Structure formats: C-alpha cells, structure tokens
C-alpha cells in the first residue's frame, strides 16, 4: 500500500523548527560555529566574543592588525558565513 502523504524526515524537522521559531537561532549558531573555519585558525585566536543582533554579527577583536584585515574582507566574510549557515543570516559585521 502506497502512502500519498509522505515527507522526508529532514523536511519534517525543518517545518517543526520553523513552527517553533527555532529556525533563526539554528542559522545563527551555524554562523558562529563557522567563524573560525571561514577566517582561519590563526586569525580566530585574536577574536573573542561573537554576538548576532538584528542580523549584524558583532566580533570582539584583540589585535589591530587582525581588525584591519577583517575590515577589508567584511563583504566576503558575510557571503561565506551565510553560505556556511545555509541561509541569509547576517547582513553586516561590526568589529570592536
């Protein structure tokens, strides 16, 4: 007997997360986890606290040289982080 109302497990989980309002926090978590991989391990040692508020990623940076390098690459980093998250999660990066 063939069921006509079948869905993949991934779709069911995705719909559940969306209905519970957990879709955005999931994508934000993916962005934060992808940060060290996207900027590189050496540069990530000089970054500290990461926060996302209103689609803006706030990053605390302890080195002026690293801050300058990240400032020049901001648009590229936004694109790569959103690709890693799988959705348009952030629109800008603010370095402090």
């Amino acid at each position: 007997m063939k069921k006509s109302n079948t869905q993949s497990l991934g779709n069911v989980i995705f719909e559940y997360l969306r209905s519970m309002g957990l879709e955005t926090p999931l994508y934000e978590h993916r962005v934060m986890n992808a940060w060290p991989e996207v900027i590189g391990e050496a540069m990530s040692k000089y970054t500290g606290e990461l926060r996302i508020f209103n689609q803006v990623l706030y990053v605390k940076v302890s080195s002026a040289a690293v801050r300058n390098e990240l400032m020049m690459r901001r648009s590229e980093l936004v694109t790569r982080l959103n690709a890693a998250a799988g959705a348009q999660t952030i629109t800008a990066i603010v370095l402090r």
Side-chain angles (χ1 to χ4, degrees):
M1 187 187 294
K2 199 173 196 182
K3 293 186 178 188
S4 61
N5 190 15
T6 60
Q7 293 181 345
S8 70
L9 183 58
N11 288 340
V12 171
I13 292 172
F14 183 75
E15 289 300 321
Y16 175 75
L17 291 173
R18 179 176 282 166
S19 69
M20 297 302 289
L22 298 173
E23 180 182 25
T24 301
L26 173 66
Y27 289 135
E28 290 175 353
H29 183 72
R30 287 180 182 173
V31 166
M32 290 187 190
N33 283 342
W35 176 256
E37 182 181 319
V38 168
I39 67 166
E41 290 296 324
M43 290 181 88
S44 71
K45 292 178 183 178
Y46 296 101
T47 62
E49 178 184 348
L50 300 173
R51 267 188 321 122
I52 298 177
F53 183 71
N54 289 337
Q55 292 187 322
V56 178
L57 176 63
Y58 294 90
V59 182
K60 190 171 184 178
V61 183
S62 62
S63 168
V66 171
R67 181 181 293 117
N68 188 32
E69 176 70 24
L70 294 175
M71 288 284 265
M72 292 188 299
R73 297 176 47 200
R74 277 192 291 190
S75 61
E76 173 200 347
L77 292 173
V78 168
T79 303
R80 290 180 63 194
L81 287 167
N82 284 331
Q88 180 69 28
T89 307
I90 61 171
T91 57
I93 297 175
V94 174
L95 304 167
R96 297 184 176 193

